[in-house]
Amino acid sequence: MNHKAKAELKAEPENRAWWRSIKAVAWAMLGVRDGGEYQRDFAQLHPLQVIAIGLVAIFALVLGLIALVHWMV
């Protein structure tokens, strides 16, 4: 990836960066991700955003599973 392409990726608006982080975490939780998209996410996303979204997603998953078990029993 050339220097101009990296500069364009970093110029993404903040709300789109959050949305891109959410999509990256969702695909990672499913275990499917294209190599090119992974490289673009790795170059563009902020690690703290990904960690925060990942923790929230895991917390929501656990709460959802607990709710499902209580509903079934």
Side-chain angles (χ1 to χ4, degrees), residues 37-50:
E37 288 291 318
Y38 171 77
Q39 291 297 327
R40 190 176 346 165
D41 289 343
F42 187 74
Q44 183 178 4
L45 298 177
H46 301 287
L48 292 178
Q49 282 182 335
V50 175

